[in-house]
Structures are given as structure tokens and as C-alpha cells.
Amino acid sequence: MATPLGLSSLFSSRIHTTTPSLFPIHRKEFNRRRIILVTAGGGGKPTILVAEKLGQAGIDLLKKHANVDCSYDLSVEELCTKISLCDALIVRSGTKVGRDVFESSRGRLKVVGRAGVGIDNVDLAAATEYGCLVVNAPTANTVAAAEHGIALLTAMARNVAQADASIKAGKWMRSKYVGVSLVGKTLAVLGFGKVGSEVARRARGLGMHVITHDPYAPADRARAIGVELVSFEVAISTADFISLHLPLTAATSKMLNDETFARMKRGVRIVNVARGGVIDEDALLRALDSGIVAQAALDVFTVEPPVKDNKLVLHESVTATPHLGASTMEAQEGVAVEIAEAVVGALRGELAATAVNAPMVPPEVLRELKPYVVLAEKLGRLAVQLVTGGSGVDAVKVTYASSRSPDDLDTRLLRAMVIKGLIEPISSVFINLVNSDYVAKQRGVKISEERMVLDGSPEDPIEYITVTIANVESRFASALSESGEIKVEGRVKQGVPSLTKVGLFGVDVSLEGSVILCRQVDQPGMIGKVGGILGDENVNVSFMSVGRIAPGKQAVMAIGVDEQPSKETLKKIGDISAIEEFVFLKL
Ligand SMILES: NC(=O)c1ccc[n+]([C@@H]2O[C@H](COP(=O)([O-])OP(=O)(O)OC[C@H]3O[C@@H](n4cnc5c(N)ncnc54)[C@H](O)[C@@H]3O)[C@@H](O)[C@H]2O)c1
Ligand SMILES: O=C(O)[C@H](O)COP(=O)(O)O
């Protein structure tokens, strides 16, 4: 597939045929399993496993770009076996994508697409560790979920499901199924995001008084639809109806429990189209039996499908549906296209707008930063090679000098690339935008960033980038700054990333091929001598520049070479009497 911005390395993996070393557990897994060397599938197309039913429009779109394997109802073992042959996986909420799936993929799995909103069935920490991007389809099923919430709210209030079952059983029980009215009642919407706000809007249309609790929701959005933002306490203690629209997180897990039910109005009614785990289901059962909760309408359960004799599902006061919130024809087609576009884009190396475990960088920012992305990686690569073996890199500072205001420069991508440059040459771990911070932290490398605000026109996003490594010894002492840190500086010159400073010495080498740095006593004829040795060995010199402290004193010569010189050639350069130290750096 094409890589329009040439940034596919951000999401590519180079461990198809090698063993990653970052996590010992990988090795264990490899030793136990037969290693199958995998490729991206026939005709160079990637392979996408669709593990749950997806709308046809999405499948058609995927098939234009990839080999598509639609295999549903796979066991964990089957999924783990198949995944090593797949570049992407698409699931809904019914497939658990745990650590074992990422381990089994052996680095081939680059993208997991969740055709829907909730990503609680995907082990995000494991995905990030393995450099696998997770994308979701957060918008296409919002209305469907909100409509289902309203359907459950009204059906529950009027006992529609119970009355339907009763009449089908041949009964005619008009007095048993007297309901309650919605108009004028208080509905507390917990979680005022996409679905919550659509539910609130519709409930307002039904004449309800709607309050909401969401610590992260903007007050003006609530005001715009006539909803009052309140504390959790006010929400749960004043509501006649409570509708849940929260993600399942550590903070929201079992948010409704014995203690919170006890603080609710007696006879409260609960709707849950979010996630089963937000309610302590045993506590809900107790609250229903004690009359604190008059009724509940549940589309989601802690374990799906629930066990056959699940007491909540069978409870007379519970209306239950089998996770149907997103299941409209329209939503499923929409979600399928949304996720197919996200997965195909991510496989092409584009940054997905719906990335869940990576920073989202808009395409226009990406386009502008492209040469700086390359510069950042090369500076990282260069700096780490200047460290004396065994020194142990633990503190790296990246300085961005720019005349743009700090808010106007997104450096996450650049930081990721510096980390990639720093760590890849000294390990077999592949680094991308997804796992860069994680890998740095794992290795105990603290990355700090600094902005230097320059005067002048902010036309170019960055004037120069400096990478500084502290607390290390250098195998090229001239690379040390006044304060004893390894310091390299680079700029983008006419679109080409260039090395412009090493330690205290100004140089000018385009960062292509490899570089030889020599410190010498500044004297005539040095360029000719070194150039001659390289020429004799057929090593093509692409650039040479000399940075002096003062004429006749010390100078650093930077030589760009296309090929790697042999050890003998490097020795001959080192033997030139005026050369005090030199180093060969691969870019
Ligand atoms: N039943 C279904 O088929 C179905 C369909 C779509 C979405 N969902 C679920 O509905 C939920 C909401 O989806 P969405 O698209 O609106 O997500 P969203 O991210 O747009 O909204 C979630 C909101 O919850 C808020 N929130 C997070 N933690 C909170 C807390 N501790 N207290 C209060 N508010 C908190 C967030 O600020 C956010 O505004 C998710 O769990 C999603 O998985 C279910
Ligand atoms: O989080 C979601 O998007 C909904 O729960 C829908 O899940 P589904 O794709 O399994 O229907």
C-alpha cells in the first residue's frame, strides 16, 4: 500500500522475522511455539481479520485494500493462532482482545479496530506495549444507542415487555401493568458524552427535567440543551430515573453499588445502555428486591451473554435486551465504514483520527512536520551512538527552538521519533508513535522537553532541535557541551535534515548515509587527506564540513559517507597525526 506521507515506519513493525527483546515473556512464548515466518499476505496486501459481523459497506471497503478474512465465533485459541497471520483485527464488543492475542501475533498485528465505541474488551496496555495501534468508531452508533436508551426508558415506565409477554401467554392484565409517567420527572444522565447528551436532548423533548453528572463535560454544552450539570450526589439522590452513559473504567466500575443505591430516592428507575460493569449487579438485585429500585432496564451485563438463569434478567421488574444499543441497520453500516476507513488509513501509515492509544496528529500538522520528524529520529540515533558503551542513558532533553507560540507546536510526534532514534540502535525493539513513551519508561530513560521561543517569523514550525544526553561519558569527547552533556543540534535546510552542531562545534552535514566526525588540530590539507583515504577505498563522500573553535586551534570535521568504511580505512583516518579523536556514526 502507498505511504502518502512516508511515515509508515511510525506504525510498521520490523519484527516479523525476529524476536523482540523488550519483554522476556515474548521469548518464552516464542520458545514454546513453532515460529512461522509471516508476510503481509498475497500480492503485498495486508491481511485483515474481521472477527465479528460487520456491515457489508465496511467489508467492501476493506477488500479494496486488503485480504479480508471474515471468521466469526473464534475460540481464544483459534484467534491466537490466526492472529500471527494478520496485520489488522476488527472486532465488536463480543471478542476479548487480551494480552495473549498481542503476544501470539509476534509483532505482526499493527492495528486493532473496534467497530463501536467501548474499548473495554481490548487490553490497551498490552496493545501499547506491543506497538499496536487501537482505533475505534466512536460516532456512528451514538444515535442508535441514545434511541435504545429512550426505548428502554419508555418501555420500562409502561411495562411494555412484561405486558407483551403476558398477553402472548394468553392473559389480559390491565391493572397489573399500570405504569408511571415521564413528563415532569427528573432524569439523571450519568456521563454527558455523545450518547448521554443525545439521550438528554430526547428526554427534554419528552417533558422530563434533565440533570447530568459528568466532571469532564463543558457547562455550555449542557446549558445549550437545557440540562443542569450537578454533582454525583445530587444526581443520584434527586433523580426519579437514572440513565448510565459512562465508559467502563477503574473509576466507574461498580459505580452503582449497595452504598450508592442506599442514597437514591426510593422507587428510582435505572436504565443502562453503557456497560454492565458500571453497576454492581448483585447490589442491583438487592435494591430491586428491597424496593429502593422500582425497575431497571438493562442492555448490557458484566458477563455477556449472561448465564442462563441470571437473576437480573429473569427479574419481573427488569426489562432486558441483549446488547442491542448499536444494532440498527443504519448504525451498523455507519460503524463498518468508519472502522474500515480508520484501519485502512492506519495500515497505510496515516495517523488515525480515532486512535485510542496514540496521540492524534491532524494530517496538516503531520505534513508540515515531516522533515522535522526525520531530523528528530536522526538526532536521537546520532546522539546515542556518541555515548560510551556501558554508560547507560537515563536522562535525555529535547529542545525545540521555534518562533511559534508553544500552543502552536505539537511536539509529541517529534518526541516519539527522538525516542525511536535513541532506542532502536541499541535494542531489537521496534518503536513507533504508539509505544515510544512506554518503551522509554520501561528502559528508565527520562525524556524531558524544552521550548526555546525565538523572535522572528513563525513560518517554519521549528528553527532547530537539540538532543542532549546527561550523565554519560562520550566516545567522542568533542560532542560534550560546556556542562559535560552530549549535545547535537540539527536543522531542516531546504527540506533536508542537517546536523548543525556537535558539542561546541558548528558543522553542516546533511543527515543521509553515515557520518564520520573527527577532531583535529585545525591546519590546511586535512580535508584532502581524509577524503583521499576514503576515495582510495571507494567510499563515496557526500558532504564535508569543518567547524572551528578559532583558526589554527581545534576543529571538528564532519564527513558524510554513502557506504560504511572498513575498519582498516577508519584506522588509517585515526592514524593521521593531526587527528585527536574520531567516530563513525550510522544514521
Ligand atoms: N449498548 C450499546 O450498544 C452501546 C452503544 C454505544 C455506546 N455504548 C456505551 O455507552 C457509553 C458512552 O458512550 P459515548 O459514545 O457517549 O462515550 P463518550 O466518551 O462520548 O462519553 C462518555 C462520557 O462519560 C464521562 N465520564 C467518564 N468518567 C466519568 C465519571 N467517573 N463520572 C461521570 N462521567 C464520566 C466522560 O466525560 C464522557 O463525557 C460507553 O460505555 C459506550 O461503550 C453502548
Ligand atoms: O461500545 C459500543 O459501541 C457498543 O457497546 C456497541 O457494541 P457492539 O459493537 O458490540 O454492538
Side-chain angles (χ1 to χ4, degrees):
M1 292 172 94
T3 52
L5 293 170
L7 294 173
S8 61
S9 69
L10 282 176
F11 289 110
S12 71
S13 147
R14 62 177 167 84
I15 52 176
H16 285 193
T17 57
T18 60
T19 310
S21 72
L22 180 58
F23 311 103
I25 192 156
H26 293 203
R27 273 194 206 288
K28 245 164 57 195
E29 288 297 315
F30 282 136
N31 293 343
R32 263 193 271 130
R33 292 198 176 114
R34 190 167 67 87
I35 298 180
I36 309 161
L37 300 183
V38 290
T39 63
K45 279 184 171 183
T47 296
I48 300 176
L49 173 61
V50 178
E52 286 181 73
K53 189 142 177 44
L54 195 67
Q56 194 54 44
I59 301 281
D60 293 344
L61 202 150
L62 293 174
K63 280 186 175 164
K64 283 192 194 149
H65 302 277
N67 304 308
V68 181
D69 174 357
C70 293
S71 297
Y72 309 141
D73 300 321
L74 295 173
S75 66
V76 176
E77 291 70 30
E78 287 166 335
L79 177 60
C80 287
T81 305
K82 262 186 183 288
I83 209 66
S84 65
L85 302 169
C86 299
D87 303 281
L89 166 68
I90 295 182
V91 297
R92 289 180 58 185
S93 62
T95 306
K96 198 150 182 46
V97 189
R99 181 169 289 273
D100 44 357
V101 174
F102 296 102
E103 280 172 10
S104 306
S105 101
R106 303 198 329 271
R108 177 153 174 181
L109 186 64
K110 297 181 200 76
V111 188
V112 171
R114 160 65 171 106
V117 186
I119 27 89
D120 43 295
N121 54 321
V122 180
D123 185 336
L124 280 186
T128 304
E129 285 170 32
Y130 283 78
C132 180
L133 182 71
V134 179
V135 288
N136 70 349
T139 59
N141 68 21
T142 298
V143 167
E147 287 178 349
H148 197 62
I150 294 292
L152 287 179
L153 177 78
T154 50
M156 171 178 68
R158 301 305 295 270
N159 301 304
V160 172
Q162 292 83 347
D164 175 71
S166 160
I167 196 170
K168 285 196 167 100
K171 299 177 190 159
W172 186 256
M173 305 181 83
R174 297 183 63 212
S175 56
K176 182 169 181 192
Y177 295 120
V178 173
V180 291
S181 187
L182 299 177
V183 72
K185 298 282 168 56
T186 297
L187 168 70
V189 170
L190 300 188
F192 193 65
K194 293 183 294 298
V195 180
S197 46
E198 289 303 321
V199 165
R201 195 193 306 279
R202 283 159 177 75
R204 291 275 297 135
L206 295 172
M208 300 188 84
H209 170 231
V210 183
I211 57 176
T212 184
H213 170 69
D214 186 330
Y216 317 106
D220 54 349
R221 206 175 71 217
R223 223 174 294 120
I225 48 178
V227 171
E228 199 188 335
L229 263 176
V230 298
S231 66
F232 179 69
E233 200 49 44
V234 169
I236 61 160
S237 60
T238 59
D240 303 300
F241 292 82
I242 294 175
S243 194
L244 300 175
H245 303 288
L246 307 151
L248 177 60
T249 63
T252 63
S253 173
K254 298 195 177 173
M255 202 171 185
L256 300 195
N257 50 42
D258 285 316
E259 205 205 307
T260 47
F261 283 128
R263 306 206 299 270
M264 291 178 192
K265 254 188 181 175
R266 198 168 173 81
V268 66
R269 289 175 165 79
I270 312 253
V271 178
N272 189 6
V273 289
R275 282 294 178 269
V278 176
I279 301 181
D280 176 339
E281 292 178 338
D282 294 333
L284 175 58
L285 202 56
R286 288 189 283 274
L288 281 161
D289 289 340
S290 71
I292 295 178
V293 175
Q295 288 183 299
L298 309 173
D299 183 47
V300 284
F301 301 87
T302 306
V303 175
E304 294 185 0
V307 290
K308 209 162 154 245
D309 53 357
N310 180 298
K311 288 190 176 143
L312 269 182
V313 174
L314 299 179
H315 202 286
E316 171 67 4
S317 302
V318 172
T319 303
T321 50
H323 202 147
L324 291 181
S327 296
T328 62
M329 310 285 278
E330 296 83 354
Q332 281 314 305
E333 284 299 294
V335 161
V337 171
E338 196 178 1
I339 202 62
E341 282 173 350
V343 168
V344 166
L347 285 173
R348 291 168 109 131
E350 294 163 14
L351 287 177
T354 59
V356 175
N357 62 341
M360 296 171 213
V361 185
E364 60 282 6
V365 175
L366 204 53
R367 231 181 325 271
E368 191 180 40
L369 287 183
K370 187 181 163 192
Y372 300 92
V373 163
V374 180
L375 174 66
E377 181 181 355
K378 300 248 169 155
L379 287 177
R381 197 168 279 265
L382 219 119
V384 79
Q385 290 180 72
L386 290 166
V387 175
T388 304
S391 284
V393 175
D394 59 10
V396 177
K397 185 168 77 186
V398 190
T399 307
Y400 311 97
S402 165
S403 40
R404 293 235 175 127
S405 94
D407 291 346
D408 216 9
L409 182 65
D410 189 339
T411 60
R412 293 169 300 177
L413 190 53
L414 301 171
R415 184 181 68 229
M417 294 310 277
V418 170
I419 297 172
K420 185 175 167 70
L422 281 168
I423 295 181
E424 278 194 352
I426 54 171
S427 77
S428 57
V429 179
F430 78 93
I431 316 276
N432 62 19
L433 189 55
V434 176
N435 67 356
S436 58
D437 283 333
Y438 172 82
V439 174
K441 203 165 162 213
Q442 281 287 97
R443 300 201 148 232
V445 183
K446 191 168 172 293
I447 309 283
S448 59
E449 290 178 291
E450 183 185 67
R451 284 294 311 271
M452 194 172 283
V453 182
L454 304 175
D455 291 336
S457 127
E459 214 164 275
D460 290 329
I462 295 172
E463 201 58 41
Y464 59 88
I465 301 176
T466 307
V467 174
T468 310
I469 307 182
N471 314 326
V472 285
E473 286 173 22
S474 178
R475 47 195 279 253
F476 186 68
S478 316
L480 297 175
S481 67
E482 271 159 347
S483 49
E485 296 155 333
I486 290 179
K487 195 167 185 177
V488 290
E489 177 205 280
R491 296 169 188 251
V492 172
K493 293 185 161 189
Q494 284 150 1
V496 181
S498 306
L499 177 67
T500 49
K501 206 164 178 186
V502 176
L504 301 174
F505 296 88
V507 292
D508 186 5
V509 196
S510 79
L511 288 170
E512 292 155 336
S514 299
V515 175
I516 300 171
L517 296 175
C518 311
R519 186 188 66 212
Q520 66 207 38
V521 178
D522 186 27
Q523 56 181 249
M526 288 303 291
I527 290 183
K529 271 188 197 162
V530 177
I533 293 172
L534 290 168
D536 288 348
E537 304 288 329
N538 255 341
V539 175
N540 200 33
V541 174
S542 55
F543 267 92
M544 272 198 173
S545 86
V546 179
R548 301 184 295 189
I549 289 182
K553 293 200 171 162
Q554 281 175 324
V556 162
M557 178 159 52
I559 307 154
V561 288
D562 291 341
E563 298 86 22
Q564 175 159 0
S566 65
K567 271 191 187 149
E568 294 70 38
T569 307
L570 290 172
K571 185 172 179 317
K572 280 184 196 163
I573 294 173
D575 286 345
I576 299 173
S577 59
I579 288 188
E580 295 170 344
E581 61 169 349
F582 80 100
V583 68
F584 171 74
L585 307 168
K586 264 180 119 166
L587 291 176

